[in-house]
Amino acid sequence: AVQEELRPLMQRLAQEQPLMAHDLTSVRRAALRHLAEMHSPSEMEHCDAAIDLFLAERSRVGAHLYSDVLGCFETLRDRHGIKQLAIVTNGNARVTEFCTAISQHLSLCLTTCETGCLKPSPLPFVAVAQRLGVSPNRVLFVGDSLEKDALAACAVGMLGCHLSRETVAEGAVVSNTLRGPDRFPFVETSSLKNESFIDAVRAYLHD
């Protein structure tokens, strides 16, 4: 019963408390405490430990990565000398703490807890550039959402890349595509291991 009630309650709390809505950990923690108080007050003292355990398991994503992710990281680092890689997520996974397969390649991972808002707000994109110590026009931002990742990154001066595994032909890289109300140029690719994509990244960041 608690599991069935948790998600609707989280959605309600996010609507009722918009200043907390971006922080999924706080929303989940508040919802779990509320349900414990309703159903089993004696269990409230265990809520924080339960959330911490959930977050640790949620962050161990190594076994669920697409096969091209780590290879792309290694190619960019070893062959093209690109040292700064970062993750910006609307979620709350702390991969730098719990997923060494990814963390060994990263300079940082920004979650909504740190940025205070969700993509496609420009703030997470500006924040990652500031933390990396580079201007936005030296950043290539890759994501699987056209609106929340690629075009939102373009809006702050980055080159956005839409990773579209289903709609872009295998091996294809579509560049300078113009879409959306602001007519931003961006790149589309079907795979991170695509050599054309890797070359486009290198050319952009070393230009």
Side-chain angles (χ1 to χ4, degrees), residues 142-165:
V142 181
D144 60 5
S145 170
L146 176 61
E147 300 295 334
K148 294 179 180 179
D149 293 317
L151 295 184
C154 290
V156 301
M158 299 176 178
L159 176 63
C161 177
H162 181 211
L163 178 59
S164 182
R165 297 183 185 275

Side-chain angles (χ1 to χ4, degrees), residues 100-121:
T100 56
I102 294 180
S103 64
Q104 62 181 317
H105 300 286
L106 296 180
S107 298
L108 73 149
C109 175
L110 286 181
T111 68
T112 57
C113 301
E114 298 167 280
T115 60
C117 55
L118 300 167
K119 299 178 293 181
S121 165

Side-chain angles (χ1 to χ4, degrees), residues 14-203:
Q15 292 176 347
E16 294 176 350
Q17 302 184 48
L19 294 180
M20 185 175 67
H22 67 277
D23 187 345
L24 293 180
T25 300
S26 294
V27 173
R28 189 180 299 275
R29 194 183 304 273
L32 190 61
R33 284 180 166 274
H34 179 81
L35 292 176
E37 186 177 17
M38 287 177 54
H39 297 292
S40 182
S42 63
E43 299 295 323
M44 285 191 64
E45 62 182 285
H46 303 300
C47 287
D48 287 342
I51 291 295
D52 291 341
L53 179 61
F54 167 82
L55 189 56
E57 291 302 316
R58 171 68 179 83
S59 301
R60 294 187 176 100
V61 297
H64 307 290
L65 295 175
Y66 282 97
S67 60
D68 56 356
V69 174
L70 297 181
C72 177
F73 287 173
E74 291 165 359
T75 298
L76 291 174
R77 180 193 63 196
D78 299 335
R79 189 190 305 176
H80 300 302
I82 295 173
K83 302 300 183 183
Q84 296 201 94
L85 298 171
I87 290 176
V88 181
T89 175
N90 277 355
N92 56 356
R94 303 204 306 259
V95 295
T96 52
E97 294 179 51
F98 298 106
C99 184
T100 56
I102 294 180
S103 64
Q104 62 181 317
H105 300 286
L106 296 180
S107 298
L108 73 149
C109 175
L110 286 181
T111 68
T112 57
C113 301
E114 298 167 280
T115 60
C117 55
L118 300 167
K119 299 178 293 181
S121 165
L123 295 181
F125 300 92
V126 173
V128 72
Q130 290 179 335
R131 290 279 296 273
L132 292 174
V134 299
S135 62
N137 68 352
R138 305 309 302 159
V139 176
L140 171 78
F141 196 97
V142 181
D144 60 5
S145 170
L146 176 61
E147 300 295 334
K148 294 179 180 179
D149 293 317
L151 295 184
C154 290
V156 301
M158 299 176 178
L159 176 63
C161 177
H162 181 211
L163 178 59
S164 182
R165 297 183 185 275
E166 290 79 24
T167 60
V168 177
E170 181 68 27
V173 174
V174 183
S175 61
N176 297 321
T177 304
L178 297 177
R179 292 185 189 172
D182 298 304
R183 309 294 287 176
F184 292 126
F186 68 97
V187 173
E188 287 188 294
T189 184
S190 62
S191 171
L192 296 176
K193 67 181 179 182
N194 187 331
E195 285 294 330
S196 298
F197 166 70
I198 297 292
D199 289 342
V201 173
R202 178 193 55 77

